[in-house]
Amino acid sequence: MASLSRALRVAAARPRQSPTQGLGPCHLSSASGPTAEKSVPYQRTLKEGQGTSVVAQGPSRPLPSTANVVVIGGGSLGCQTLYHLAKLGMSGAVLLERERLTSGTTWHTAGLLWQLRPSDVEVELLAHTRRVVSRELEEETGLHTGWIQNGGLFIASNRQRLDEYKRLMSLGKAYGVESHVLSPAETKALYPLMNVDDLYGTLYVPHDGTMDPAGTCSTLARAAAARGAQVIENCAVTGIRVWTDDFGVRRVAGVETQHGSIQTPCVVNCAGVWASAVGRMAGVKVPLVAMHHAYVVTERIEGIQNMPNVRDHDASVYLRLQGDALSVGGYEANPIFWEEVSDKFAFGLFDLDWEVFTQHIEGAINRVPVLEKTGIKSTVCGPESFTPDHKPLMGEAPELRGFFLGCGFNSAGMMLGGGCGQELAHWIIHGRPEKDMYGYDIRRFHHSLTDHPRWIRERSHESYAKNYSVVFPHDEPLAGRNVRRDPLHEELLGQGCVFQERHGWERPGWFHPQGPAPVLEYDYYGAYGSHAHEDYAYRRLLADEYTFDFPPHQDTIKKECLACRGAAAVFDMSYFGKFYLVGPDARKAADWLFSADVSRPPGSTVYTCMLNHRGGTESDLTVSRLAPSHQASPLAPAFEGDGYYLAVGGAVAQHNWSHITTVLQDQKFQCQLIDSSEDLGMVSIQGPASRAILQEVLDADLSNEAFPFSTHKLLRAAGHLVRAMRLSFVGELGWELHIPKASCVPVYRAVMAAGAKHGLVNAGYRAIDSLSIEKGYRHWHADLRPDDSPLEAGLAFTCKLKSPVPFLGREALEQQRAAGLRRRLVCFTVEDKVPMFGLEAIWRNGQVVGHVRRADFGFAIDKTIAYGYIRDPSGGPVSLDFVKSGDYALERMGVTYGARAHLKSPFDPDNKRVKGTY
């Protein structure tokens, strides 16, 4: 009989793999190891009694000629999506599965459900999955899904890991998730077989548990069928029919199979590992890769019964209770890529490569020593799909209307399936999910990345290898870097710029006084025989960020911030998205798209939001009205009538582009949206000295009278044509210069030369984060998300509710205003010098009323600043009196700190500085 200790000895004795050739890892052949059966540990699978003969007989039921929606793939996501579509009242919903339900990747999943993750949205999604699997399905059908509530235990072998768990515990209090930080002795009492000698502590979540894939999916299918949905097995999809409407928009027309076609306007790609192949049928790019993912099942272990599931993140291993045995698995640094994904693979498993898997065994034996002498009953090595940021791919594909994604779940499809299935159903039926799903939306990726093999492969590898790493607030990837660089990249790199990466773009993070720290080619952390970089300056600086305290370079960021407050700072913001909206219906489109009144005279610039039909905020941006011109220039296209220049955050540029495009198509506006993001750079000069500096560079009067706030002009800067805008994102007097790509370096150098005698410094986005929160300016997808309204976020001034002009989301805002706000974004300051990053629980009069969305340190006021939405525990409206009357505290890692609530920004509440009054 094979045992874990024998597997460890065999793998250790085997010669190491020779270095691979080429950029990335090659396919690794399975090595021989201890003999063990290949089989999943479940008492029942949906494979039983079925074989190729059944598939050859054709579909399990006749195909309908039409359907309102066709779900492709009968795994966890497909079944959950179908169930929630039916539950929300969608008729004519059909699921097509090429073999049997669960036959792809779901059948072999470990089925773990952990309720706490470092994301408030994921905590909500997991909670819904748990409700569906543990209670709702059984109430509906009378069938048990196989849910077992045995609890979950997170292991901390160092202080930082325990700090991370304490952060999760604090977040859980905002969502009613019970959890407890245990001492090593308490952990030993709970789990007697565990070695606790090297522990700092553990996080115990008693209501975590495990799911059974066959039981869950078959029950979901039965519940969906009871509501009129159809599940058709043994029916592979062979093609997606597409048509082009009168406006040139590609739309889904139907699906094709070997047994006939179904006419439908909507397809949902839940094909897991095979999702890329389904995407290619429709001309849709699906950025994921397939990898081997494995666990082993032990023989019986005396005393293991009823123990909680264990995640030992520092050993990169999990231990899942399997009756009277354990399943042992994890995430390794050298996963095997499944290079040629077979469309014939069903209920299949790979041979386990012991050389790859052995790294988990040592950690498992260290944590539960009895495993050293425990036999291995079976091995489970199957395919899973992984994405570049370890987040699922969901939502409507930007290339094809009516084609939705529900795939790329990074081996978490069972535990996220219920929450994501519900949101996907809302997305399909109502046009938007109920929750903030931007982090999962396929439109988060710039179109240049979704078809970039090196970027997808490198980032997916790093995300897999770091899956169990501590999630630090300021971590950055090392993979897939330098894909998109702006015109000032080399200039700033030479001045010590430490770059951040945002969806392919390299943007300035902060400036290191000791010189350049370039990002090097990805080394796969030394895996696959690659040579790990030595003396890597960027990696060393990044390692300093691996803390929940203030980083060593906090003073450097402080100097950038205080220079901006006291003199001036220049920010390279070239990665911003820059779009032009022109055409016959441009004004109609602008009135409908933007919550503020942007149809002002040419030369005006307006800060505005874009909303969805539920009143949620899809974006905040600036919109500048342009004068028509018959002559195109690098700073404006030729157009007649109305035209607008849009500047949006670079990390969300693709999301903005897709949102605007979708609205234009739905409303049939005759407009053209032009993307000039790669053609223009952008620098912003902010601070009390900005006017004096730029007066030497620009050929115009910059006085308040000649150049008021929120206006823009075409000017010459050091002889180069630029668009200058008087705006601020940090609460200071300042201007943005939008510059043709070829002119960026000379204009930047001229600004720096003029600013030398005024104390002008380079500054990055770490400074922007601090300065903007200090002034109370919102950041989209932190303070503002698609499920937050401008009224809740304190941005009512961006909404033209006093005018009769209709705009997208107006009705929802009017209803919300009439009913009273059920939550409100509040600013808090903390006197204690403690770092906060978001996810801290907000206490009011001894009750948890919300959690922090965004936090940073404000250097001018010398305080920690946090923003979070609060609710009234009684369920009533959150009035300003409710906000003012509370006694507040913020809980950071289990410790509460007294906090003061503010109704206005604590810094320059009268906005004197942006007006140039110092």
Side-chain angles (χ1 to χ4, degrees):
M1 178 178 63
S3 68
L4 289 179
S5 59
R6 177 168 177 252
L8 195 59
R9 292 194 302 271
V10 170
R14 184 177 298 118
R16 302 305 300 168
Q17 193 83 19
S18 61
T20 60
Q21 301 297 314
L23 179 65
C26 67
H27 182 77
L28 302 177
S29 61
S30 297
S32 60
T35 303
E37 177 188 4
K38 288 192 302 181
S39 68
V40 297
Y42 302 108
Q43 292 183 357
R44 181 173 76 96
T45 73
L46 301 183
K47 178 183 179 182
E48 294 168 1
Q50 304 293 333
T52 56
S53 60
V54 176
V55 176
Q57 292 174 9
S60 59
R61 61 187 301 162
L63 271 66
S65 59
T66 62
N68 287 323
V69 58
V70 174
V71 179
I72 302 174
S76 172
L77 254 294
C79 292
Q80 289 278 12
T81 302
L82 186 76
Y83 165 74
H84 283 93
L85 283 168
K87 193 170 184 178
L88 288 174
M90 169 68 82
S91 60
V94 176
L95 184 150
L96 298 180
E97 163 55 46
R98 64 188 176 93
E99 223 267 6
R100 299 293 313 284
L101 295 183
T102 75
S103 64
T105 62
T106 297
W107 83 292
H108 61 71
T109 181
L112 295 159
L113 191 148
W114 317 96
Q115 294 179 89
L116 292 179
R117 306 262 280 202
S119 160
D120 56 337
V121 175
E122 288 192 357
V123 170
E124 294 180 7
L125 296 173
L126 292 164
H128 183 71
T129 299
R130 190 182 178 283
R131 281 193 300 273
V132 169
V133 174
S134 68
R135 187 180 73 243
E136 293 179 2
L137 280 175
E138 188 166 354
E139 291 174 352
E140 284 188 44
T141 65
L143 300 174
H144 183 51
T145 63
W147 165 258
I148 298 173
Q149 181 181 298
N150 60 314
L153 195 61
F154 285 2
I155 307 299
S157 301
N158 56 68
R159 183 180 66 84
Q160 289 177 332
R161 182 69 74 178
L162 191 59
D163 285 346
E164 180 184 39
Y165 296 162
K166 290 177 180 178
R167 276 171 54 80
L168 296 181
M169 179 184 66
S170 294
L171 175 63
K173 291 178 181 179
Y175 287 97
V177 178
E178 180 186 354
S179 65
H180 310 273
V181 172
L182 304 183
S183 68
E186 291 170 322
T187 303
K188 185 72 173 180
L190 175 67
Y191 202 122
L193 294 180
M194 182 173 291
N195 168 33
V196 300
D197 293 344
D198 58 347
L199 296 192
Y200 270 64
T202 57
L203 180 68
Y204 175 52
V205 185
H207 298 291
D208 285 353
T210 55
M211 297 171 287
D212 174 76
T216 299
C217 289
S218 60
T219 308
L220 285 166
R222 181 170 296 192
R227 296 176 181 270
Q230 296 185 59
V231 175
I232 304 176
E233 297 176 290
N234 308 321
C235 186
V237 172
T238 57
I240 307 293
R241 292 214 311 266
V242 175
W243 69 289
T244 303
D245 68 17
D246 294 340
F247 289 84
V249 179
R250 298 176 69 244
R251 297 181 182 274
V252 168
V255 298
E256 297 173 347
T257 78
Q258 292 179 342
H259 310 286
S261 61
I262 302 175
Q263 182 179 332
T264 183
C266 181
V267 166
V268 191
N269 182 358
C270 296
V273 164
W274 297 269
S276 293
V278 174
R280 286 191 293 271
M281 296 177 189
V284 171
K285 295 173 286 188
V286 182
L288 56 76
V289 298
M291 297 184 193
H292 293 204
H293 191 55
Y295 60 90
V296 298
V297 184
T298 72
E299 296 284 358
R300 184 179 186 276
I301 302 173
E302 184 62 38
I304 205 68
Q305 296 83 349
N306 302 317
M307 290 297 101
N309 301 315
V310 173
R311 242 183 171 179
D312 189 340
H313 292 90
D314 294 313
S316 196
V317 67
Y318 66 80
L319 307 171
R320 182 228 202 257
L321 184 68
Q322 204 76 56
D324 58 2
L326 288 177
S327 292
V328 179
Y331 291 82
E332 55 279 351
N334 57 336
I336 299 174
F337 286 76
W338 194 18
E339 305 288 5
E340 301 294 334
V341 177
S342 169
D343 60 1
K344 307 298 182 187
F345 195 94
F347 291 114
L349 295 174
F350 305 117
D351 291 332
L352 182 64
D353 188 318
W354 286 100
E355 184 178 350
V356 173
F357 188 80
T358 297
Q359 54 199 287
H360 305 307
I361 296 176
E362 187 172 354
I365 292 174
N366 174 64
R367 189 56 54 221
V368 181
V370 70
L371 288 175
E372 185 173 12
K373 300 184 188 309
T374 301
I376 299 172
K377 183 177 180 180
S378 64
T379 67
V380 182
C381 181
E384 292 280 3
S385 58
F386 295 90
T387 62
D389 58 0
H390 216 70
K391 300 292 183 185
L393 307 175
M394 294 179 62
E396 191 174 29
E399 305 100 319
L400 180 61
R401 298 301 303 274
F403 190 92
F404 287 80
L405 299 179
C407 54
F409 274 79
N410 305 280
S411 77
M414 281 295 292
M415 66 176 166
L416 288 172
C420 289
Q422 182 184 53
E423 295 305 311
L424 198 48
H426 274 282
W427 221 322
I428 293 163
I429 294 172
H430 302 298
R432 283 301 308 163
E434 280 199 319
K435 295 180 173 53
D436 164 40
M437 300 298 287
Y438 168 73
Y440 290 7
D441 193 338
I442 182 62
R443 301 181 303 175
R444 69 190 184 272
F445 293 124
H446 190 262
H447 61 83
S448 65
L449 301 178
T450 55
D451 196 27
H452 195 300
R454 178 179 70 84
W455 185 82
I456 295 169
R457 189 181 185 91
E458 288 185 2
R459 287 293 298 272
S460 297
H461 170 267
E462 184 178 39
S463 295
Y464 181 102
K466 291 183 66 174
N467 184 43
Y468 276 5
S469 297
V470 176
V471 179
F472 291 110
H474 297 296
D475 197 5
E476 293 290 330
L478 295 173
R481 297 296 295 266
N482 294 316
V483 174
R484 305 176 75 197
R485 298 190 291 187
D486 71 45
L488 294 176
H489 185 273
E490 292 300 323
E491 188 85 4
L492 300 182
L493 180 63
Q495 298 182 46
C497 182
V498 180
F499 285 93
Q500 301 173 333
E501 189 270 355
R502 295 295 181 271
H503 293 296
W505 275 114
E506 299 290 325
R507 74 175 193 182
W510 56 284
F511 285 80
H512 183 47
Q514 272 72 53
V519 180
L520 304 180
E521 182 179 336
Y522 187 48
D523 61 7
Y524 285 90
Y525 294 88
Y528 311 109
S530 61
H531 180 68
H533 296 304
E534 298 177 2
D535 193 27
Y536 190 178
Y538 184 87
R539 181 179 279 170
R540 286 200 310 274
L541 292 174
L542 193 58
D544 289 339
E545 300 279 15
Y546 295 164
T547 177
F548 292 110
D549 295 323
F550 293 117
H553 45 266
Q554 180 82 346
D555 283 345
T556 301
I557 298 170
K558 175 181 179 179
K559 289 176 182 177
E560 293 179 15
C561 291
L562 294 183
C564 182
R565 294 283 185 236
V570 58
F571 301 90
D572 173 22
M573 304 177 70
S574 298
Y575 96 119
F576 256 49
K578 309 167 198 76
F579 308 145
Y580 295 101
L581 179 65
V582 297
D585 290 338
R587 180 162 185 166
K588 290 181 183 177
D591 284 343
W592 181 250
L593 275 165
F594 306 122
S595 62
D597 179 10
V598 300
S599 293
R600 300 182 183 183
S604 63
T605 297
V606 178
Y607 172 67
T608 183
C609 295
M610 289 193 293
L611 311 181
N612 53 48
H613 72 275
R614 297 174 58 242
T617 310
E618 293 289 340
S619 170
D620 70 329
L621 67 160
T622 58
V623 178
S624 300
R625 183 77 181 274
L626 302 177
S629 174
H630 296 291
Q631 177 105 22
S633 79
L635 287 163
F639 69 95
E640 296 180 356
D642 300 298
Y644 304 86
Y645 175 59
L646 285 52
V648 303
V652 295
Q654 185 67 44
H655 174 83
N656 278 261
W657 175 273
S658 298
H659 174 74
I660 295 170
T661 300
T662 298
V663 172
L664 297 180
Q665 292 171 0
D666 289 346
Q667 298 297 315
K668 297 182 170 54
F669 288 130
Q670 296 185 39
C671 294
Q672 186 180 9
L673 188 64
I674 302 168
D675 188 353
S676 293
S677 304
E678 306 277 357
D679 303 322
L680 299 173
M682 175 181 165
V683 295
S684 185
I685 301 88
Q686 301 284 322
S690 60
R691 178 182 277 135
I693 294 168
L694 289 175
Q695 197 63 78
E696 297 182 29
V697 178
L698 299 173
D699 63 344
D701 181 359
L702 301 183
S703 65
N704 288 336
E705 296 74 22
F707 207 140
F709 183 74
S710 216
T711 62
H712 66 94
K713 295 181 179 182
L714 288 178
L715 303 174
R716 293 276 171 182
H720 298 264
L721 189 67
V722 303
R723 186 179 302 280
M725 295 185 184
R726 186 174 167 189
L727 295 170
S728 180
F729 48 88
V730 297
E732 299 292 339
L733 174 70
W735 280 261
E736 293 176 1
L737 303 182
H738 297 244
I739 313 166
K741 189 174 182 178
S743 301
C744 285
V745 170
V747 170
Y748 167 79
R749 289 175 176 172
V751 169
M752 294 303 290
K757 61 179 175 289
H758 296 282
L760 178 68
V761 304
N762 285 304
Y765 272 82
R766 293 290 287 278
I768 290 175
D769 289 342
S770 170
L771 293 163
S772 63
I773 199 172
E774 192 169 51
K775 185 63 186 80
Y777 291 160
R778 312 296 190 245
H779 276 196
W780 192 82
H781 207 240
D783 319 295
L784 274 176
R785 302 196 307 205
D787 54 348
D788 304 321
S789 82
L791 305 186
E792 295 168 332
L795 296 179
F797 70 91
T798 67
C799 302
K800 47 181 181 270
L801 290 172
K802 293 181 180 180
S803 82
V805 179
F807 60 91
L808 180 58
R810 177 174 184 139
E811 291 183 6
L813 294 187
E814 290 174 337
Q815 292 172 6
Q816 187 180 67
R817 185 173 60 178
L821 302 180
R822 300 291 161 169
R823 58 184 185 140
R824 194 182 289 268
L825 184 65
V826 178
C827 172
F828 299 96
T829 54
V830 178
E831 294 294 332
D832 297 87
K833 299 296 189 296
V834 292
M836 294 186 181
F837 307 102
L839 306 184
E840 293 82 8
I842 302 172
W843 291 82
R844 178 186 182 275
N845 297 347
Q847 291 179 290
V848 177
V849 293
H851 69 276
V852 173
R853 285 278 192 86
R854 176 180 168 222
D856 213 319
F857 195 83
F859 295 102
I861 67 172
D862 198 31
K863 290 182 177 68
T864 294
I865 307 169
Y867 276 81
Y869 288 84
I870 67 170
R871 296 179 180 272
D872 184 341
S874 70
V878 178
S879 65
L880 294 179
D881 286 340
F882 177 88
V883 175
K884 290 187 288 185
S885 63
D887 182 17
Y888 293 96
L890 304 183
E891 180 180 325
R892 173 189 183 270
M893 300 179 188
V895 179
T896 55
Y897 298 87
R900 180 184 174 190
H902 301 264
L903 297 179
K904 282 189 172 184
S905 164
F907 176 79
D908 189 25
D910 297 324
N911 293 321
K912 292 180 178 179
R913 298 170 76 95
V914 295
K915 301 170 186 174
T917 303
Y918 286 91

